[in-house]
Amino acid sequence: MTEQEILRIREEILDSIDEEFEAELEDAMMNQDYRSDSKSSTEGEMSRREYFRHLLRLQQELIKLQSWVVETGAKVAILFEGRDAAGKGGAIKRITQRLNPRVCRVVALSAPSKREQSQWYFQRYTPHLPAAGEIVLFDRSWYNRAGVERVMGFCTDEEYEAFFRDVPSFERMIADSGVHLIKYWFSITDEEQQFRFQCRINDPLKQWKLSPMDLESRRRWEQYTETKEIMLERTNLPYSRWWVVEGNVKKRARLNCIRHLLTQIPYQEIPNESVKLPPRERSDEYERNPLPKEIFVESVF
């Protein structure tokens, strides 16, 4: 194994650690003398300090967006498409990380049931579209038909062409109903996908991410490329454009995606009333009863 390969694997491990570290990191920590500044060996990477500084700033803006959506009753639908292991899930996680799950939710549908296969194709997606005051992130969407279903032979030529005939009207109705519809395609190179797949194979915590469909997609790289190019060309619509996120460097892809998302919605900061903690009421008659020891979780750590 070369030194470059070892450094790449180190970066992958650090990124996995960061996924958990980010969930606990508070804004105040960025004001401290945070010393984890080592630059990545991968061209285009940024220091962890720089990454967290930008991420937290953008997440603060996402909270402002959330407040605006709730206050105005806006409706936002964001589609995330792209190659397997291109970084869609990582970007979605950073967007939702600090938002209210009652306002911002993720839709990741499983394979359609037999009943759903007999429905109008778009029918299984329409119940998940946002109502007023909601942000919905689709982790893959109705564009499955123009991608995986086409490549894997899960739809007929007639169904494939019907999709392209119907999707402009479908998305036009969504946009005309007042939904902010934004579509992202996460793009990575052949070499980067191979590297990430190999990392998943060797990481017991990530092996579940590799499905038989993912492995087959690796073999059919060129077919997916062809279908992607057709999809982007035929469905890049004036009222629902495609935006391509370069995903080879995960951290930059996440930051660029969030920053771009914020520019696509005309949100404004909503003034919040200052919050004051009320004093706790106390009663001389109240006495707390002890709980039985056997119901407590064992303190191992």
Side-chain angles (χ1 to χ4, degrees), residues 4-259:
Q4 182 68 17
E5 289 173 335
I6 294 173
L7 291 173
R8 285 294 310 280
I9 293 172
R10 176 180 179 274
E11 286 297 331
E12 188 71 10
I13 294 172
L14 286 175
D15 187 76
S16 298
I17 295 172
D18 288 348
E19 289 181 4
E20 303 303 324
F21 181 55
E22 289 168 22
E24 302 297 329
L25 186 66
E26 296 297 334
D27 294 357
M29 291 185 65
M30 299 317 298
N31 296 326
Q32 299 175 359
D33 190 12
Y34 183 56
R35 296 296 185 184
S36 187
D37 270 357
S38 58
K39 293 285 185 179
S40 167
S41 62
T42 307
E43 183 179 356
E45 269 288 6
M46 61 172 62
S47 70
R48 297 172 74 193
R49 178 178 183 177
E50 182 184 6
Y51 169 64
F52 284 126
R53 177 166 55 85
H54 289 308
L55 178 65
L56 291 171
R57 178 179 58 81
L58 290 170
Q59 288 180 331
Q60 288 176 344
E61 290 299 315
L62 285 171
I63 292 173
K64 295 177 185 178
L65 169 63
Q66 174 181 254
S67 298
W68 177 83
V69 167
V70 173
E71 180 72 17
T72 63
K75 297 175 283 187
V76 180
I78 310 166
L79 276 54
F80 292 83
E81 297 286 347
R83 302 272 190 183
D84 295 312
K88 301 180 297 297
I92 290 171
K93 183 182 293 184
R94 274 67 184 185
I95 292 171
T96 61
Q97 198 166 29
R98 302 179 188 278
L99 300 184
N100 185 343
R102 294 181 178 86
V103 176
C104 181
R105 56 188 171 86
V106 179
V107 174
L109 300 183
S110 58
S113 64
K114 286 189 176 181
R115 181 178 183 276
E116 288 172 328
Q117 290 174 17
S118 69
Q119 294 174 342
W120 173 52
Y121 177 70
F122 297 96
Q123 188 171 340
R124 69 192 297 249
Y125 295 99
T126 53
H128 301 283
L129 291 170
E134 290 183 346
I135 303 171
V136 178
L137 283 62
F138 285 88
D139 187 351
R140 297 203 180 277
S141 66
W142 45 89
Y143 281 97
N144 276 336
R145 173 135 297 175
V148 62
E149 290 191 17
R150 176 62 171 176
V151 173
M152 302 303 296
F154 294 156
C155 67
T156 65
D157 291 343
E158 292 75 16
E159 290 170 331
Y160 178 67
E161 287 302 323
F163 171 83
F164 286 122
R165 184 182 66 245
D166 294 344
V167 74
S169 299
F170 178 64
E171 292 183 359
R172 182 74 193 204
M173 287 188 289
I174 294 174
D176 288 347
S177 72
V179 175
H180 297 274
L181 180 61
I182 306 167
K183 304 186 298 191
Y184 288 112
W185 175 272
F186 277 69
S187 178
I188 56 172
T189 61
D190 184 355
E191 295 77 15
E192 182 64 21
Q193 187 190 56
Q194 179 175 340
F195 172 77
R196 293 183 186 180
F197 273 15
Q198 194 61 52
C199 286
R200 290 182 178 183
I201 290 172
N202 296 332
D203 186 348
L205 298 179
K206 289 188 175 182
Q207 284 180 359
W208 65 269
K209 290 186 175 184
L210 274 179
S211 68
M213 199 72 66
D214 295 333
L215 298 175
E216 184 63 20
S217 74
R218 180 66 197 150
R219 190 174 70 85
R220 304 193 188 197
W221 173 274
E222 293 182 4
Q223 291 175 263
Y224 270 95
T225 299
E226 182 180 0
T227 56
K228 175 205 71 174
E229 292 170 349
I230 294 171
M231 182 194 75
L232 295 181
E233 180 182 358
R234 297 183 67 174
T235 60
N236 187 31
L237 307 168
Y239 41 86
S240 58
R241 291 185 56 186
W242 277 106
W243 299 99
V244 177
V245 179
E246 294 184 353
N248 271 7
V249 182
K250 292 180 180 180
K251 290 181 172 64
R252 293 191 183 277
R254 297 163 190 163
L255 297 177
N256 288 330
C257 180
I258 297 173
R259 177 190 172 279

